[in-house]
Amino acid sequence: MAQDIKVLPSEKTGISSREKAVVVCDGILYLRILGSAHNYELMTATASEHIGFPVVCNEQTRLIAAANQLRTDHGGNPAFFEDRAGRKYVKICKADTILEFEPVIAEFFEIYDRCEVSGDNGKDEMREVYEAISPSDSDEDLYLSDGLWLSSDGLMSDRGR
C-alpha cells in the first residue's frame, strides 16, 4: 500500500465528540480520532464522511483484524463495539494528544498491509444476494440504502449519501 497517510478534520455529523479527525491513506478512510484534550481515542471507521469524501475502507473484516492485532500488541484484549447502525468497530487505544497517535497509525498500516483474513466471511452469500436482486447481467454495483453499495463480487462499500 502506498503510504500517503493524512490526519484530517472530520465533518461527520451525528458523532458526539468535541473534536474529531479521520485517518486517510491514499484517499481511503480507515480510522477515526474522537475526543478532546488529554482524552483522545483512535478507532476503526465504519462509515464515510457525509460529504462523500473520503470513502470508508471496504475491507472492514481486514480493518478490524488489523486493529485488534494492534490493540493486542499494545496490551489490550480484542474487543468489538457497534455503532448506532450496528456496524462493528474497534477502539485501538487512547492518547493525550492527536500527535501521540502518529507511531500507532504507522504501525496500524504495517499490520494492515500484512493482514490476511481467512475465509470469504459471507462474500458467497452476498454474491447470492447480488444475483437475486440485480436487474441485469451488467455486473454494475447496486445501491442498497443509506449510501451502501453491493458489487457483483459480494463486497459492500459505504459511499456516503
Side-chain angles (χ1 to χ4, degrees):
M1 168 183 293
Q3 296 297 313
D4 183 22
I5 301 168
K6 296 177 183 167
V7 176
L8 305 170
S10 172
E11 300 297 325
K12 183 90 169 164
T13 58
I15 295 177
S16 58
S17 178
R18 187 170 202 185
E19 294 180 49
K20 45 194 173 181
V22 292
V23 178
V24 176
C25 183
D26 295 333
I28 304 294
L29 169 58
Y30 291 88
L31 304 170
R32 286 194 184 279
I33 299 171
L34 303 177
S36 59
H38 306 292
N39 190 25
Y40 293 98
E41 194 157 28
L42 179 66
M43 62 194 66
T44 58
T46 60
S48 301
E49 293 288 281
H50 288 303
I51 56 173
F53 180 82
V55 176
V56 74
C57 171
N58 66 0
E59 294 184 72
Q60 286 290 306
T61 303
R62 182 178 173 196
L63 181 76
I64 287 173
N68 262 326
Q69 178 63 52
L70 181 59
R71 182 180 164 91
T72 302
D73 290 352
H74 284 261
N77 294 317
F80 300 98
F81 300 89
E82 287 189 2
D83 66 9
R84 290 182 299 211
R87 296 173 290 217
K88 289 185 174 147
Y89 69 96
V90 174
K91 293 179 179 180
I92 299 168
C93 63
K94 292 184 177 190
D96 288 336
T97 68
I98 291 175
L99 287 176
E100 289 178 38
F101 288 126
E102 284 184 10
V104 177
I105 291 168
E107 188 178 352
F108 166 80
F109 283 105
E110 289 172 13
I111 293 169
Y112 182 85
D113 287 345
R114 294 189 314 260
C115 189
E116 291 183 26
V117 178
S118 60
D120 269 351
N121 216 18
K123 277 179 54 179
D124 286 340
E125 288 140 17
M126 294 311 294
R127 281 188 211 118
E128 290 175 17
V129 169
Y130 178 90
E131 290 171 14
I133 63 175
S134 177
S136 67
D137 292 332
S138 68
D139 286 342
E140 290 183 50
D141 291 355
L142 298 174
Y143 181 74
L144 300 175
S145 169
D146 293 326
L148 195 60
W149 291 77
L150 176 63
S151 64
S152 62
D153 62 358
L155 290 175
M156 293 180 43
S157 61
D158 186 343
R159 299 181 192 167
R161 294 178 190 219

